[in-house]
Coordinates of all heavy atoms in Angstrom, one line a residue:
M1 N 1.3 8.8 15.4 CA 1.0 7.9 14.3 C 2.4 7.3 13.9 O 3.4 8.0 13.8 CB 0.4 8.6 13.2 CG 0.2 7.8 12.0 SD -0.6 8.5 10.5 CE -1.2 10.1 11.0
P2 N 2.4 5.9 13.8 CA 3.7 5.3 13.3 C 4.2 5.9 12.0 O 3.4 6.2 11.1 CB 3.3 3.8 13.2 CG 2.1 3.6 14.0 CD 1.4 4.9 14.0
A3 N 5.5 6.0 11.9 CA 6.1 6.6 10.8 C 5.7 6.0 9.4 O 5.6 6.7 8.4 CB 7.7 6.5 10.9
R4 N 5.5 4.7 9.4 CA 5.1 4.0 8.2 C 3.8 4.5 7.6 O 3.6 4.5 6.4 CB 5.1 2.5 8.4 CG 4.0 2.0 9.3 CD 4.1 0.5 9.6 NE 3.2 0.1 10.6 CZ 3.6 -0.1 11.9 NH1 4.8 0.2 12.3 NH2 2.7 -0.5 12.7
F5 N 2.9 5.1 8.5 CA 1.7 5.6 8.0 C 1.8 7.1 7.6 O 1.0 7.5 6.7 CB 0.6 5.5 9.1 CG 0.2 4.1 9.4 CD1 0.6 3.5 10.6 CD2 -0.6 3.4 8.5 CE1 0.2 2.2 10.8 CE2 -1.0 2.1 8.8 CZ -0.6 1.5 9.9
V6 N 2.7 7.8 8.2 CA 2.9 9.2 7.9 C 3.1 9.5 6.4 O 2.4 10.3 5.8 CB 3.9 9.8 8.8 CG1 4.2 11.3 8.4 CG2 3.5 9.8 10.3
A7 N 4.2 8.8 5.9 CA 4.5 9.1 4.5 C 3.4 8.7 3.5 O 3.1 9.4 2.6 CB 5.8 8.4 4.1
T8 N 2.8 7.6 3.8 CA 1.7 7.1 2.9 C 0.5 8.1 3.0 O -0.1 8.5 2.0 CB 1.3 5.7 3.3 OG1 2.5 4.9 3.2 CG2 0.3 5.2 2.3
A9 N 0.1 8.5 4.3 CA -1.0 9.4 4.5 C -0.7 10.7 3.8 O -1.6 11.3 3.1 CB -1.2 9.6 6.0
N10 N 0.5 11.2 3.9 CA 0.9 12.5 3.2 C 0.7 12.4 1.7 O 0.3 13.3 1.1 CB 2.3 12.9 3.6 CG 2.5 13.4 5.0 OD1 1.5 13.8 5.6 ND2 3.7 13.4 5.5
A11 N 1.1 11.2 1.1 CA 1.0 11.0 -0.3 C -0.5 11.1 -0.7 O -0.8 11.7 -1.7 CB 1.6 9.7 -0.7
F12 N -1.4 10.5 0.1 CA -2.8 10.5 -0.3 C -3.4 11.9 0.0 O -4.2 12.4 -0.8 CB -3.5 9.5 0.5 CG -3.4 8.1 -0.2 CD1 -2.4 7.2 0.3 CD2 -4.2 7.7 -1.2 CE1 -2.3 6.0 -0.3 CE2 -4.0 6.5 -1.9 CZ -3.0 5.6 -1.4
D13 N -2.9 12.6 1.0 CA -3.4 13.9 1.3 C -3.1 14.9 0.2 O -3.9 15.8 -0.2 CB -2.8 14.5 2.6 CG -3.4 13.8 3.8 OD1 -4.5 13.1 3.7 OD2 -2.8 13.9 4.9
K14 N -1.9 14.7 -0.4 CA -1.4 15.6 -1.5 C -2.0 15.2 -2.8 O -1.9 16.0 -3.8 CB 0.1 15.6 -1.6 CG 0.7 16.3 -0.4 CD 2.2 16.2 -0.4 CE 2.9 16.8 0.8 NZ 4.3 16.6 0.8
G15 N -2.6 14.0 -2.9 CA -3.1 13.5 -4.2 C -2.2 12.4 -4.7 O -1.1 12.8 -5.2
V16 N -2.5 11.2 -4.5 CA -1.6 10.1 -4.8 C -1.2 10.1 -6.3 O -0.1 9.7 -6.6 CB -2.2 8.7 -4.4 CG1 -3.4 8.3 -5.3 CG2 -1.2 7.7 -4.3
E17 N -2.1 10.7 -7.1 CA -1.7 10.7 -8.6 C -0.6 11.7 -8.9 O 0.0 11.6 -9.9 CB -3.0 11.1 -9.4 CG -3.5 12.5 -9.1 CD -4.5 12.5 -7.9 OE1 -4.9 11.5 -7.4 OE2 -4.7 13.6 -7.4
T18 N -0.2 12.5 -7.9 CA 0.9 13.4 -8.1 C 2.2 12.8 -7.6 O 3.3 13.4 -7.8 CB 0.7 14.7 -7.3 OG1 0.7 14.5 -5.9 CG2 -0.6 15.4 -7.8
V19 N 2.2 11.6 -7.0 CA 3.4 11.0 -6.5 C 4.2 10.5 -7.7 O 3.7 9.8 -8.5 CB 3.0 9.8 -5.5 CG1 4.3 9.1 -5.1 CG2 2.3 10.4 -4.3
K20 N 5.4 10.8 -7.7 CA 6.4 10.4 -8.8 C 6.6 8.9 -8.6 O 6.6 8.4 -7.4 CB 7.7 11.1 -8.7 CG 7.6 12.6 -8.8 CD 7.3 13.0 -10.2 CE 7.4 14.5 -10.3 NZ 6.6 15.0 -11.4
P21 N 6.8 8.1 -9.7 CA 7.0 6.7 -9.6 C 8.1 6.3 -8.6 O 7.9 5.4 -7.8 CB 7.3 6.3 -11.0 CG 6.5 7.3 -11.8 CD 6.7 8.6 -11.1
A22 N 9.2 7.0 -8.6 CA 10.3 6.7 -7.7 C 9.9 6.8 -6.2 O 10.2 6.0 -5.4 CB 11.5 7.5 -8.0
A23 N 9.1 7.8 -5.9 CA 8.6 8.0 -4.6 C 7.6 6.9 -4.2 O 7.6 6.4 -3.1 CB 7.9 9.4 -4.4
G24 N 6.8 6.5 -5.2 CA 5.9 5.4 -5.0 C 6.6 4.1 -4.7 O 6.2 3.4 -3.8
V25 N 7.7 3.9 -5.4 CA 8.5 2.7 -5.1 C 9.1 2.7 -3.7 O 9.1 1.7 -3.0 CB 9.6 2.6 -6.2 CG1 10.6 1.5 -5.8 CG2 9.0 2.2 -7.6
K26 N 9.5 3.9 -3.3 CA 10.0 4.0 -1.9 C 9.0 3.7 -0.9 O 9.2 3.0 0.1 CB 10.6 5.4 -1.7 CG 11.0 5.7 -0.3 CD 12.2 4.9 0.2 CE 12.7 5.3 1.5 NZ 12.7 4.2 2.5
L27 N 7.7 4.2 -1.1 CA 6.6 3.9 -0.2 C 6.4 2.4 -0.2 O 6.2 1.8 0.9 CB 5.4 4.6 -0.6 CG 5.3 6.1 -0.3 CD1 4.1 6.7 -1.0 CD2 5.4 6.4 1.2
I28 N 6.4 1.8 -1.3 CA 6.2 0.3 -1.4 C 7.2 -0.4 -0.7 O 6.9 -1.4 0.1 CB 6.1 -0.1 -2.9 CG1 4.8 0.5 -3.6 CG2 6.2 -1.6 -3.1 CD1 4.8 0.4 -5.1
E29 N 8.5 0.0 -0.9 CA 9.6 -0.7 -0.2 C 9.4 -0.7 1.3 O 9.7 -1.6 2.0 CB 10.9 -0.2 -0.7 CG 11.2 -0.6 -2.1 CD 12.4 0.0 -2.7 OE1 12.9 1.0 -2.1 OE2 12.9 -0.5 -3.7
D30 N 9.0 0.5 1.8 CA 8.8 0.6 3.3 C 7.7 -0.4 3.7 O 7.8 -1.0 4.8 CB 8.3 2.1 3.6 CG 9.4 3.1 3.4 OD1 10.6 2.7 3.3 OD2 9.1 4.3 3.4
W31 N 6.6 -0.5 3.0 CA 5.5 -1.4 3.3 C 6.0 -2.9 3.2 O 5.6 -3.7 4.0 CB 4.3 -1.1 2.5 CG 3.6 0.1 3.1 CD1 3.6 1.4 2.6 CD2 2.8 0.1 4.3 NE1 2.9 2.2 3.5 CE2 2.4 1.4 4.5 CE3 2.5 -0.9 5.3 CZ2 1.6 1.8 5.6 CZ3 1.7 -0.5 6.4 CH2 1.3 0.9 6.5
E32 N 6.8 -3.2 2.2 CA 7.3 -4.5 2.0 C 8.1 -4.9 3.2 O 8.0 -6.0 3.7 CB 8.2 -4.6 0.8 CG 7.4 -4.7 -0.5 CD 8.2 -4.7 -1.8 OE1 9.3 -4.1 -1.8 OE2 7.8 -5.3 -2.7
A33 N 8.9 -4.0 3.7 CA 9.7 -4.3 4.9 C 8.8 -4.5 6.1 O 9.1 -5.4 7.0 CB 10.6 -3.1 5.2
E34 N 7.7 -3.8 6.3 CA 6.8 -4.0 7.4 C 6.1 -5.3 7.3 O 5.9 -6.0 8.3 CB 5.7 -2.9 7.4 CG 6.2 -1.6 7.9 CD 6.6 -1.6 9.3 OE1 5.9 -2.3 10.1 OE2 7.5 -0.9 9.7
L35 N 5.8 -5.7 6.1 CA 5.0 -7.0 5.9 C 5.9 -8.2 5.9 O 5.4 -9.3 6.1 CB 4.3 -7.0 4.5 CG 3.1 -6.0 4.5 CD1 2.6 -5.9 3.0 CD2 2.0 -6.5 5.4
K36 N 7.2 -8.0 5.8 CA 8.1 -9.2 5.7 C 7.9 -10.2 6.8 O 7.9 -11.4 6.6 CB 9.5 -8.7 5.7 CG 10.6 -9.7 5.4 CD 11.9 -9.1 5.2 CE 12.7 -9.3 6.5 NZ 14.0 -8.8 6.5
D37 N 7.8 -9.7 8.0 CA 7.7 -10.6 9.2 C 6.2 -10.7 9.7 O 6.0 -11.2 10.8 CB 8.6 -10.1 10.3 CG 10.0 -10.2 9.9 OD1 10.4 -11.1 9.2 OD2 10.8 -9.3 10.2
T38 N 5.3 -10.3 9.0 CA 3.9 -10.3 9.4 C 3.3 -11.7 9.1 O 3.4 -12.2 8.0 CB 3.0 -9.2 8.7 OG1 3.6 -8.0 9.0 CG2 1.6 -9.2 9.1
D39 N 2.6 -12.3 10.1 CA 2.0 -13.6 9.8 C 0.5 -13.5 9.8 O -0.1 -14.6 9.9 CB 2.5 -14.6 10.9 CG 2.1 -14.2 12.3 OD1 1.5 -13.1 12.5 OD2 2.4 -15.0 13.2
I40 N -0.1 -12.4 9.5 CA -1.5 -12.2 9.4 C -1.9 -12.8 8.1 O -1.3 -12.5 7.1 CB -1.9 -10.8 9.5 CG1 -1.5 -10.2 10.9 CG2 -3.4 -10.6 9.3 CD1 -1.8 -8.7 11.0
P41 N -3.0 -13.7 8.1 CA -3.5 -14.2 6.8 C -3.8 -13.0 5.8 O -4.5 -12.1 6.2 CB -4.7 -14.9 7.2 CG -4.5 -15.3 8.6 CD -3.7 -14.2 9.2
G42 N -3.3 -13.1 4.6 CA -3.5 -12.1 3.6 C -2.3 -11.2 3.4 O -2.2 -10.6 2.4
A43 N -1.4 -11.2 4.3 CA -0.2 -10.4 4.2 C 0.7 -10.8 3.1 O 1.2 -9.9 2.4 CB 0.6 -10.4 5.5
K44 N 0.9 -12.0 2.8 CA 1.7 -12.5 1.7 C 1.1 -12.1 0.4 O 1.8 -11.7 -0.5 CB 1.9 -14.0 1.8 CG 2.6 -14.4 3.1 CD 3.8 -15.2 2.8 CE 4.5 -15.8 4.1 NZ 5.1 -14.8 4.9
G45 N -0.2 -12.1 0.2 CA -0.8 -11.7 -1.0 C -0.6 -10.2 -1.2 O -0.4 -9.8 -2.4
I46 N -0.7 -9.4 -0.2 CA -0.5 -8.0 -0.3 C 0.9 -7.7 -0.7 O 1.2 -6.9 -1.5 CB -0.9 -7.3 1.0 CG1 -2.4 -7.3 1.2 CG2 -0.3 -5.9 1.1 CD1 -2.9 -6.8 2.6
A47 N 1.9 -8.5 -0.1 CA 3.3 -8.3 -0.4 C 3.5 -8.6 -1.9 O 4.3 -7.9 -2.5 CB 4.1 -9.2 0.5
G48 N 2.9 -9.6 -2.4 CA 3.0 -10.0 -3.8 C 2.5 -8.9 -4.7 O 3.1 -8.5 -5.7
D49 N 1.3 -8.3 -4.3 CA 0.7 -7.2 -5.1 C 1.6 -6.0 -5.0 O 1.7 -5.2 -6.0 CB -0.7 -6.9 -4.6 CG -1.7 -8.0 -5.1 OD1 -1.4 -8.7 -6.1 OD2 -2.7 -8.1 -4.4
L50 N 2.2 -5.7 -3.9 CA 3.1 -4.6 -3.7 C 4.3 -4.8 -4.7 O 4.8 -3.8 -5.3 CB 3.6 -4.4 -2.3 CG 2.6 -3.8 -1.3 CD1 3.1 -4.0 0.1 CD2 2.3 -2.4 -1.7
E51 N 4.8 -6.0 -4.8 CA 5.9 -6.3 -5.7 C 5.5 -6.0 -7.1 O 6.3 -5.4 -7.9 CB 6.4 -7.7 -5.5 CG 7.6 -8.0 -6.4 CD 8.9 -7.3 -6.2 OE1 9.1 -6.8 -5.0 OE2 9.6 -7.0 -7.1
R52 N 4.3 -6.4 -7.5 CA 3.8 -6.2 -8.9 C 3.6 -4.7 -9.1 O 4.0 -4.2 -10.2 CB 2.5 -6.9 -9.1 CG 2.8 -8.4 -9.3 CD 1.5 -9.2 -9.7 NE 0.7 -9.5 -8.5 CZ 1.0 -10.5 -7.6 NH1 2.1 -11.2 -7.8 NH2 0.2 -10.7 -6.6
L53 N 3.2 -4.0 -8.1 CA 3.0 -2.5 -8.3 C 4.3 -1.8 -8.4 O 4.5 -0.9 -9.2 CB 2.2 -2.0 -7.1 CG 2.0 -0.5 -7.1 CD1 1.2 0.0 -8.3 CD2 1.2 -0.1 -5.8
K54 N 5.3 -2.3 -7.6 CA 6.6 -1.7 -7.7 C 7.2 -1.9 -9.1 O 7.8 -1.0 -9.7 CB 7.5 -2.3 -6.6 CG 8.9 -1.7 -6.6 CD 9.7 -2.1 -5.3 CE 10.1 -3.6 -5.3 NZ 11.0 -3.9 -4.2
K55 N 7.1 -3.1 -9.7 CA 7.6 -3.4 -11.0 C 6.8 -2.5 -12.0 O 7.4 -2.0 -13.0 CB 7.4 -4.8 -11.4 CG 8.4 -5.7 -10.7 CD 8.2 -7.2 -11.0 CE 9.2 -8.0 -10.3 NZ 9.0 -9.5 -10.5
A56 N 5.5 -2.3 -11.9 CA 4.7 -1.5 -12.8 C 5.2 0.0 -12.7 O 5.3 0.6 -13.8 CB 3.3 -1.6 -12.5
L57 N 5.5 0.5 -11.5 CA 5.9 1.8 -11.4 C 7.4 2.0 -11.9 O 7.7 3.1 -12.2 CB 5.8 2.3 -9.9 CG 4.4 2.5 -9.4 CD1 4.5 2.7 -7.9 CD2 3.7 3.6 -10.1
S58 N 8.1 1.0 -11.9 CA 9.5 1.0 -12.3 C 9.7 1.0 -13.8 O 10.8 1.2 -14.3 CB 10.4 -0.1 -11.6 OG 10.3 0.1 -10.2
A59 N 8.7 0.7 -14.5 CA 8.7 0.6 -16.0 C 9.1 2.0 -16.6 O 8.9 3.0 -15.9 CB 7.4 0.2 -16.5
D60 N 9.7 1.9 -17.7 CA 10.1 3.2 -18.4 C 8.9 4.1 -18.5 O 9.0 5.3 -18.3 CB 10.7 2.9 -19.7 CG 12.1 2.3 -19.6 OD1 12.8 2.5 -18.6 OD2 12.6 1.6 -20.6
E61 N 7.8 3.5 -18.9 CA 6.5 4.3 -19.0 C 5.5 3.5 -18.3 O 4.8 2.6 -18.9 CB 6.2 4.5 -20.5 CG 7.1 5.4 -21.2 CD 6.6 5.8 -22.6 OE1 5.4 5.9 -22.8 OE2 7.5 5.9 -23.5
P62 N 5.2 3.8 -17.0 CA 4.2 3.1 -16.2 C 2.9 3.1 -16.9 O 2.4 4.1 -17.4 CB 4.2 3.8 -14.9 CG 5.6 4.4 -14.8 CD 5.9 4.8 -16.2
D63 N 2.2 1.9 -16.9 CA 0.9 1.8 -17.5 C -0.1 2.3 -16.4 O -0.3 1.6 -15.4 CB 0.6 0.3 -17.8 CG -0.7 0.1 -18.4 OD1 -1.7 0.9 -18.2 OD2 -0.9 -1.0 -19.0
A64 N -0.7 3.4 -16.6 CA -1.6 4.0 -15.6 C -2.8 3.1 -15.2 O -3.1 3.0 -14.0 CB -2.2 5.4 -16.1
E65 N -3.3 2.4 -16.2 CA -4.5 1.5 -15.9 C -4.0 0.3 -15.0 O -4.7 -0.1 -14.1 CB -5.2 1.0 -17.2 CG -6.0 2.1 -17.8 CD -7.1 2.7 -16.9 OE1 -7.8 1.9 -16.2 OE2 -7.2 3.9 -16.8
K66 N -2.9 -0.2 -15.3 CA -2.3 -1.3 -14.6 C -2.1 -0.9 -13.1 O -2.4 -1.6 -12.2 CB -1.1 -1.9 -15.2 CG -0.5 -3.1 -14.5 CD 0.7 -3.7 -15.3 CE 1.2 -4.9 -14.6 NZ 2.3 -5.5 -15.4
V67 N -1.4 0.3 -13.0 CA -1.1 0.8 -11.7 C -2.4 1.0 -10.9 O -2.5 0.6 -9.7 CB -0.3 2.1 -11.8 CG1 -0.2 2.8 -10.4 CG2 1.1 1.8 -12.3
K68 N -3.4 1.6 -11.5 CA -4.7 1.9 -10.9 C -5.4 0.6 -10.4 O -5.9 0.5 -9.3 CB -5.6 2.7 -11.8 CG -6.9 3.1 -11.2 CD -7.7 3.9 -12.1 CE -9.0 4.4 -11.5 NZ -9.8 5.3 -12.3
S69 N -5.3 -0.4 -11.3 CA -5.9 -1.7 -10.9 C -5.2 -2.3 -9.7 O -5.9 -2.8 -8.8 CB -5.8 -2.6 -12.2 OG -6.3 -3.9 -11.8
L70 N -3.9 -2.3 -9.7 CA -3.2 -2.9 -8.6 C -3.4 -2.1 -7.3 O -3.6 -2.7 -6.2 CB -1.7 -2.9 -8.9 CG -1.2 -4.0 -9.9 CD1 0.2 -3.7 -10.4 CD2 -1.3 -5.3 -9.2
V71 N -3.5 -0.8 -7.4 CA -3.8 0.0 -6.2 C -5.2 -0.3 -5.6 O -5.3 -0.5 -4.4 CB -3.7 1.5 -6.5 CG1 -4.2 2.4 -5.4 CG2 -2.2 1.9 -6.8
H72 N -6.1 -0.4 -6.5 CA -7.5 -0.8 -6.0 C -7.5 -2.2 -5.4 O -8.2 -2.4 -4.4 CB -8.5 -0.7 -7.2 CG -8.8 0.7 -7.5 ND1 -9.9 1.1 -8.3 CD2 -8.2 1.9 -7.2 CE1 -9.9 2.4 -8.4 NE2 -8.9 2.9 -7.8
K73 N -6.8 -3.1 -6.0 CA -6.7 -4.5 -5.5 C -6.1 -4.4 -4.1 O -6.5 -5.1 -3.2 CB -5.9 -5.4 -6.4 CG -5.9 -6.8 -6.0 CD -5.1 -7.7 -7.1 CE -5.1 -9.1 -6.6 NZ -4.3 -9.9 -7.5
L74 N -5.0 -3.7 -4.0 CA -4.4 -3.5 -2.7 C -5.3 -2.9 -1.7 O -5.3 -3.2 -0.5 CB -3.1 -2.7 -2.8 CG -1.9 -3.4 -3.4 CD1 -0.8 -2.5 -3.9 CD2 -1.3 -4.4 -2.3
G75 N -6.1 -1.9 -2.1 CA -7.1 -1.3 -1.2 C -8.1 -2.3 -0.6 O -8.3 -2.3 0.6
E76 N -8.6 -3.2 -1.5 CA -9.5 -4.2 -1.0 C -8.9 -5.1 0.0 O -9.4 -5.4 1.0 CB -10.1 -5.0 -2.2 CG -11.0 -4.2 -3.1 CD -11.4 -4.9 -4.3 OE1 -11.3 -6.1 -4.4 OE2 -11.9 -4.3 -5.3
A77 N -7.7 -5.6 -0.4 CA -7.0 -6.6 0.5 C -6.6 -5.9 1.8 O -6.6 -6.5 2.9 CB -5.7 -7.1 -0.3
T78 N -6.2 -4.6 1.7 CA -5.7 -3.9 3.0 C -6.9 -3.7 3.9 O -6.8 -3.9 5.1 CB -5.0 -2.6 2.6 OG1 -3.9 -2.9 1.7 CG2 -4.6 -1.9 3.8
T79 N -8.1 -3.4 3.3 CA -9.3 -3.2 4.1 C -9.6 -4.5 4.8 O -10.0 -4.5 6.0 CB -10.4 -2.7 3.2 OG1 -10.0 -1.4 2.7 CG2 -11.7 -2.5 4.1
K80 N -9.5 -5.6 4.1 CA -9.9 -6.9 4.7 C -8.9 -7.3 5.8 O -9.3 -7.8 6.9 CB -9.8 -8.0 3.6 CG -11.0 -8.0 2.7 CD -11.0 -9.1 1.7 CE -12.1 -8.9 0.7 NZ -12.0 -9.9 -0.4
I81 N -7.6 -7.0 5.6 CA -6.6 -7.4 6.6 C -6.7 -6.5 7.8 O -6.2 -7.0 8.9 CB -5.2 -7.4 6.0 CG1 -4.3 -8.4 6.8 CG2 -4.6 -6.1 5.9 CD1 -2.9 -8.6 6.1
A82 N -7.2 -5.4 7.7 CA -7.3 -4.4 8.8 C -8.1 -5.1 10.0 O -7.8 -4.8 11.2 CB -8.0 -3.1 8.4
E83 N -9.0 -5.9 9.7 CA -9.8 -6.5 10.7 C -9.0 -7.5 11.6 O -9.3 -7.7 12.7 CB -11.0 -7.4 10.1 CG -11.9 -6.5 9.2 CD -12.8 -7.3 8.4 OE1 -12.8 -8.6 8.5 OE2 -13.6 -6.7 7.6
R84 N -7.9 -7.9 11.0 CA -7.0 -8.9 11.8 C -5.7 -8.2 12.3 O -4.9 -8.8 12.9 CB -6.6 -10.0 10.9 CG -7.8 -10.9 10.5 CD -7.4 -12.0 9.5 NE -8.3 -11.7 8.4 CZ -7.9 -11.8 7.1 NH1 -6.7 -12.1 6.8 NH2 -8.7 -11.5 6.2
A85 N -5.6 -6.9 12.1 CA -4.4 -6.2 12.5 C -4.4 -5.9 14.0 O -5.5 -6.0 14.6 CB -4.3 -4.8 11.7
D86 N -3.3 -5.6 14.5 CA -3.1 -5.3 15.9 C -4.0 -4.1 16.2 O -4.1 -3.1 15.4 CB -1.6 -4.9 16.1 CG -1.3 -4.7 17.6 OD1 -1.7 -3.6 18.1 OD2 -0.7 -5.6 18.2
D87 N -4.6 -4.1 17.4 CA -5.5 -3.0 17.8 C -4.9 -1.6 17.7 O -5.6 -0.7 17.3 CB -6.1 -3.2 19.2 CG -7.1 -4.3 19.2 OD1 -7.7 -4.6 18.2 OD2 -7.4 -4.8 20.3
K88 N -3.6 -1.5 17.9 CA -3.0 -0.1 17.9 C -2.9 0.5 16.5 O -2.7 1.7 16.3 CB -1.7 -0.1 18.7 CG -0.6 -1.0 18.1 CD 0.6 -0.9 19.0 CE 1.6 -1.9 18.5 NZ 2.8 -2.0 19.3
V89 N -2.9 -0.4 15.5 CA -2.8 0.1 14.1 C -4.0 -0.2 13.2 O -4.1 0.2 12.1 CB -1.5 -0.4 13.4 CG1 -0.3 0.1 14.1 CG2 -1.5 -1.9 13.3
K90 N -5.0 -0.9 13.8 CA -6.2 -1.4 13.0 C -6.9 -0.3 12.3 O -7.1 -0.4 11.1 CB -7.1 -2.1 14.0 CG -8.3 -2.7 13.4 CD -9.2 -3.2 14.5 CE -9.3 -4.7 14.3 NZ -10.1 -5.4 15.3
D91 N -7.1 0.8 12.9 CA -7.8 1.9 12.3 C -7.0 2.6 11.2 O -7.5 2.9 10.1 CB -8.2 3.0 13.3 CG -9.3 2.5 14.3 OD1 -10.0 1.6 14.0 OD2 -9.4 3.2 15.4
K92 N -5.7 2.7 11.4 CA -4.8 3.3 10.4 C -4.8 2.3 9.1 O -4.7 2.8 8.0 CB -3.4 3.5 10.9 CG -3.4 4.6 11.9 CD -3.8 5.9 11.3 CE -3.9 7.0 12.3 NZ -4.5 8.2 11.7
V93 N -4.7 1.0 9.3 CA -4.7 0.1 8.2 C -6.0 0.2 7.5 O -6.0 0.2 6.2 CB -4.4 -1.3 8.7 CG1 -4.5 -2.4 7.6 CG2 -3.0 -1.4 9.3
A94 N -7.1 0.3 8.2 CA -8.4 0.4 7.5 C -8.5 1.7 6.7 O -9.0 1.7 5.6 CB -9.5 0.4 8.5
E95 N -8.0 2.8 7.3 CA -7.9 4.1 6.5 C -7.1 4.0 5.3 O -7.5 4.5 4.2 CB -7.4 5.2 7.4 CG -8.3 5.7 8.5 CD -7.7 6.6 9.5 OE1 -6.7 7.3 9.0 OE2 -8.1 6.7 10.6
L96 N -6.0 3.3 5.4 CA -5.1 3.1 4.2 C -5.8 2.3 3.1 O -5.8 2.7 2.0 CB -3.8 2.4 4.6 CG -2.9 2.0 3.5 CD1 -2.4 3.2 2.7 CD2 -1.7 1.2 4.0
G97 N -6.5 1.2 3.5 CA -7.3 0.5 2.6 C -8.3 1.3 1.9 O -8.5 1.2 0.6
K98 N -9.0 2.1 2.6 CA -10.1 3.0 2.0 C -9.4 4.0 1.0 O -10.0 4.2 0.0 CB -10.9 3.7 3.1 CG -11.8 2.8 3.8 CD -12.5 3.5 5.0 CE -13.3 2.5 5.8 NZ -13.8 3.1 7.0
A99 N -8.3 4.5 1.4 CA -7.6 5.5 0.6 C -7.1 4.9 -0.7 O -7.3 5.4 -1.8 CB -6.4 6.2 1.3
L100 N -6.6 3.7 -0.6 CA -6.1 2.9 -1.8 C -7.3 2.6 -2.7 O -7.2 2.8 -3.9 CB -5.4 1.6 -1.4 CG -4.0 1.8 -0.8 CD1 -3.6 0.5 -0.1 CD2 -3.0 2.2 -1.8
S101 N -8.4 2.2 -2.1 CA -9.6 1.8 -2.9 C -10.2 3.1 -3.7 O -10.7 2.9 -4.8 CB -10.7 1.2 -2.1 OG -10.2 0.0 -1.6
A102 N -10.0 4.2 -3.0 CA -10.6 5.5 -3.6 C -9.7 6.1 -4.6 O -10.1 7.0 -5.3 CB -10.9 6.4 -2.5
A103 N -8.4 5.7 -4.6 CA -7.4 6.4 -5.5 C -7.7 6.2 -7.0 O -8.3 5.2 -7.4 CB -6.0 5.9 -5.2

């Protein structure tokens, strides 16, 4: 499994609600780097939502409802984009979308 999925999958396996904000920001930055050169329709919207989530997590006192809303929005968008992803990561992207939506 590509490294970018391992850290994210581990976070969800352990319970994403237990991830410290700084660790969440690191995961987001890894995904932002992955999406930077992606030309799949929908990727730019996901990148923007990741930036908003990163800012929300970086607040002195993160707003749990705002974070949850952004995570669910990212789940929906990630599930949709999975259909257009490269075949070798399509299933992993779909799994990620489902995990985000369920968080």
Side-chain angles (χ1 to χ4, degrees):
M1 176 178 349
R4 64 186 172 265
F5 291 107
V6 173
T8 305
N10 286 341
F12 281 96
D13 288 345
K14 292 177 183 174
V16 73
E17 61 280 347
T18 65
V19 175
K20 302 285 185 209
V25 168
K26 174 64 175 124
L27 288 172
I28 290 167
E29 289 171 346
D30 291 345
W31 282 102
E32 286 175 326
E34 285 296 323
L35 288 170
K36 189 173 102 176
D37 298 322
T38 300
D39 62 354
I40 298 173
K44 299 236 186 287
I46 290 173
D49 287 337
L50 284 170
E51 180 63 29
R52 284 184 278 287
L53 180 58
K54 184 167 68 171
K55 285 180 183 176
L57 289 172
S58 297
D60 289 337
E61 291 187 34
D63 179 340
E65 286 303 313
K66 183 175 185 177
V67 169
K68 185 175 181 176
S69 175
L70 285 165
V71 168
H72 286 195
K73 184 176 180 185
L74 281 162
E76 291 174 15
T78 302
T79 300
K80 287 180 186 176
I81 204 172
E83 299 167 6
R84 294 176 239 136
D86 185 284
D87 283 342
K88 61 185 175 184
V89 296
K90 183 182 246 181
D91 291 340
K92 291 296 175 192
V93 173
E95 287 175 25
L96 175 60
K98 288 176 186 173
L100 289 165
S101 293

